[in-house]
Amino acid sequence: MMRDAEVARSRAEAVQVRAVARFAALSEEPRGVAAEVALTLATTEHRAQRMVAHAQALTSRLPATLVALDAGTIDAYKASKVVDATNPLSDEQAAAVDAAMVGRLDGRNPSSIRRAAVRQVVAVDPDGHAERARKRRLERSVQLVHQDDAMSTLIADLPAETATA
C-alpha cells in the first residue's frame, strides 16, 4: 500500500509539473507566474519560483526524467536532483544527461540520484565542470551563525579534499 501511494503521489506531481509549465507558457506576464502559482498553491513565492523553473526544465530539457516521474519511478524531489545537476548545461547537454539517467533512477535515494546525475554532467561537459569547480573554489567561505540557547552553527563551504582532510 505504501508503494502504491508513493506511485500515485508521483503521478499527481507529474500532472502538477505539466500544469505549472503550461501556465508559465501561456502567461502574458512571465514575472508574475511565480506569484500566481504561490497564491494558487498557498506557498511562498520563492518555492513557487523553484516549482516553475523545475517544471519548465522537466517539460523542455528533461523529458525522460519527467516520464520517470509520471510512471511513479521517482518523485518530484528526486527529479529535482537531476534538474539541479543539469541547470548549468546547454539544452543539448542536459538532454544527453537525461538520456544517460534512464534506468538509473528506480530504487535509488535522492543523494544517489544526485551523485549519478553529477557524474553524467562531468562526462558530458568536463571543461564546463572544471570551470564551475574553479569558480566555486574562489567562493569558499566559513560562517559562524549564532543560534538560540547559547548554541552556534559553523558552516564551511570548502573544496572536497580540504573538507575531507
Side-chain angles (χ1 to χ4, degrees):
M1 267 181 22
M2 287 188 300
R3 179 69 185 137
D4 290 346
E6 186 68 11
V7 168
R9 184 174 64 85
S10 295
R11 288 180 176 160
E13 288 172 335
V15 170
Q16 186 177 53
V17 161
R18 286 189 177 94
V20 168
R22 180 83 171 129
F23 178 71
L26 294 175
S27 178
E28 294 178 12
E29 181 56 46
R31 292 185 326 186
V33 170
E36 287 289 330
V37 170
L39 183 63
T40 301
L41 301 179
T43 191
T44 65
E45 201 164 323
H46 176 73
R47 181 167 183 266
Q49 287 171 341
R50 283 190 52 87
M51 289 175 71
V52 171
H54 283 199
Q56 290 172 324
L58 286 166
T59 57
S60 64
R61 294 167 39 107
L62 303 168
T65 303
L66 181 55
V67 166
L69 179 62
D70 202 26
T73 303
I74 58 172
D75 60 20
Y77 182 66
K78 291 176 181 179
S80 77
K81 300 305 177 184
V82 180
V83 172
D84 293 343
T86 58
N87 271 342
L89 301 179
S90 70
D91 290 348
E92 295 78 21
Q93 291 168 326
V97 171
D98 188 47
M101 290 300 293
V102 171
R104 297 179 185 200
L105 300 170
D106 194 18
R108 295 179 90 166
N109 67 43
S111 296
S112 176
I113 289 172
R114 182 191 52 78
R115 284 191 305 272
V118 168
R119 279 193 301 275
Q120 293 305 316
V121 167
V122 172
V124 166
D125 185 27
D127 294 336
H129 173 73
E131 179 60 20
R132 289 187 295 276
R134 185 191 68 74
K135 286 180 181 177
R136 288 293 309 271
R137 286 173 181 272
L138 296 174
E139 297 169 356
R140 66 191 180 277
S141 66
V142 177
Q143 300 173 35
L144 180 63
V145 180
H146 297 289
Q147 304 290 341
D148 295 335
D149 301 322
M151 296 298 291
S152 293
T153 301
L154 182 63
I155 303 168
D157 199 11
L158 305 170
E161 65 279 1
T162 302
T164 301

